[in-house]
Each structure stands twice: as structure tokens, then as C-alpha cells.
Amino acid sequence: MVGNGGTVLDTAPSYGASEHVSGRIARQIGMTNRIVWATKVNVLRRGSNDRADASAARAQVEQSFERIGKEPIDLIQVHNLADLPTQMGVISELKKDGRIRYIGTTSTKHRRYPDLAKAMRDFPIDFIGVDYAIDNRLAADRILPLAKELGIAVLVYIPFGRSRLFSRVRGMDVPAWAQEMGADTWAKFFIKYVAANPATTCVTPSTSKAKHMLDNIGAAYGELPDVKVRRKMEQLIDSLPSA
Ligand SMILES: NC(=O)c1ccc[n+]([C@@H]2O[C@H](COP(=O)([O-])OP(=O)(O)OC[C@H]3O[C@@H](n4cnc5c(N)ncnc54)[C@H](OP(=O)(O)O)[C@@H]3O)[C@@H](O)[C@H]2O)c1
């Protein structure tokens, strides 16, 4: 990933062994400081409306420092907007102390977009993480323009709709006009589309396969589509049956 120009690694304490294993492997191959580490904090159970325990949140962040082995950590976001007053308070303090470079929050649920927009206005955040894909464009109407207006950086999550977009194009070739701008695979087509939004800072597709990672990084090469080509890309995908 790093050798091919990849820089950002997005993880979270709640992603099973992800933070622990990626931190260990990066350390073993001497790449820790060449990676921009984005991790998250949330000590509440999924969907819980309880208040988070600040000392538990601090302990979780300390665990991330240990697992990743880099200080300051580049970015810590409050996962899924969970108890922002408490957990944003914890990471804001650590940012003030110089232990975290950037702070933010994430949401990948359309029904939470009003809360995400409120958080973007109410808290002094540097980043958000939000779902955005060529067939999931609500963030481009509601959230990305606000990020641009407020100067907040954007990590694009779920750029393939998990496996949904690949199912929609199964059996089809990437059209020649897209291949001309370097999108010679569907993964590159989907990533180039979201990367070209002026509010996008970074796209974080996930994969368990090195071959797919190299394919995905290939989207960073060649051209990005302009507004006209992006409309053409949307029309093509919109014309296909839903997955
Ligand atoms: N609330 C949050 O904070 C939140 C929520 C969701 C996601 N996220 C972030 O967003 C990242 C991406 O989201 P996601 O994993 O849900 O969805 P995604 O990136 O849209 O899709 C991942 C799927 O695409 C496949 N894939 C990847 N590259 C491919 C390629 N080149 N060709 C064919 N298939 C390919 C993967 O399978 P293979 O393993 O077989 O490649 C996997 O099934 C996550 O890792 C996470 O960091 C954050």
C-alpha cells in the first residue's frame, strides 16, 4: 500500500483485530510513521443512547496509542456520533495536549445526517467520515457542501456500497470513455467518481485482498472525471437494475 502511494489507514477499536494487527504489521516492516493513522473512539454499545464513561473513552484511546505506536495519532473520530459531548470532550483535550493531530466524527446512516450536520456546526472538528458512492449520493446533497463551507476534511466510506456496486455491473465491461481516464476496472471507476467530488479529502475502500488494494490504489493515477463526465457516470449506473 505504502509503496504504491497509499497513505491513510482507517481503522477502529471495534473492528475486531484490525487496529491491533495493522499496528503490529506496520511496526514490523518499519512503516508506522509513513502511515496517516485514522482511528476512532466509542465505548458505548451499538445503538445505545447512554452516556459514555469518559475514563473508559480515555482508556480506549490509550489502547490505540499502544496498538498503533505513533504519537501524535493523526486522526481520532467519535464513531457513529456516539455521545459526542463526552467523547468529543475527551479527544479535544488530547488534541490540545498535542497527542492527536486531528479530531472528527463519523456516520454512515442517512437518518443521522441531521445530527452529523449539527455536530459539524457545533464542534470544532477537522474531519468527518461519511458514506458516499455513485449509487448512494445523498451525502453529496446534504453533507459534503457543508463540509466544504466549514473547511472540514472528508473521509469517504463505503465507496463500493460494500458488494452492491460490483453486483450491479457484473458481466459488464467498463466503457471505453471511462478507460480513457484510467478507470480500466469497475473499482477504479467507482473510486474516481467519489474522489472527484471537491469536498473529498480521501477515499477509504476496504479489502481483504492485496490484489484488490492495488486495483483500488490505481484509482489515484490517471485523470479524475470533470462534472460532465461525472454526470455520464451517474447516468450509466442509474440505468442499471438495483442490486
Ligand atoms: N461508521 C463508520 O465509521 C464506518 C461505517 C462503515 C465503514 N466505515 C469505513 O469505510 C471503510 C469501507 O467500508 P466497507 O468495507 O463497509 O465498504 P466498501 O469499501 O464499499 O466495500 C468493501 C467490499 O468491496 C470489496 N472490494 C474491495 N476492493 C475491491 C476490488 N478492487 N474489486 C472487487 N471487490 C472489491 C471487498 O471485498 P474483498 O475483501 O474481497 O476485496 C469488500 O467486500 C471501512 O473499512 C471503514 O474504515 C466506517
Side-chain angles (χ1 to χ4, degrees), residues 57-73:
R58 272 185 220 103
Q60 191 180 67
V61 173
E62 290 304 328
Q63 180 183 260
S64 295
F65 280 119
E66 261 170 51
R67 287 173 166 178
I68 293 170
K70 186 179 179 190
E71 200 167 320
I73 284 182

Side-chain angles (χ1 to χ4, degrees), residues 160-213:
F160 303 137
R162 309 220 150 96
S163 52
R164 186 184 64 236
L165 277 169
F166 293 110
S167 305
R168 290 188 76 171
V169 297
R170 186 159 297 135
M172 284 172 58
D173 290 331
V174 181
W177 53 263
Q179 298 204 28
E180 277 164 23
M181 61 169 179
D184 57 352
T185 65
W186 284 112
K188 290 182 189 133
F189 182 101
F190 301 140
I191 293 174
K192 278 180 181 288
Y193 174 82
V194 291
N197 187 297
T200 297
T201 307
C202 173
V203 188
T204 70
S206 81
T207 179
S208 55
K209 300 183 178 71
K211 190 176 129 205
H212 284 170
M213 179 274 295

Side-chain angles (χ1 to χ4, degrees), residues 9-29 32 35 37-40 60-70 73:
L9 200 147
D10 184 82
T11 182
S14 61
Y15 292 171
S18 164
E19 191 184 60
H20 172 69
V21 172
S22 52
R24 177 166 53 76
I25 292 173
R27 202 157 39 247
Q28 280 167 357
I29 61 174
T32 303
I35 293 170
W37 293 90
T39 192
K40 309 188 184 80
Q60 191 180 67
V61 173
E62 290 304 328
Q63 180 183 260
S64 295
F65 280 119
E66 261 170 51
R67 287 173 166 178
I68 293 170
K70 186 179 179 190
I73 284 182

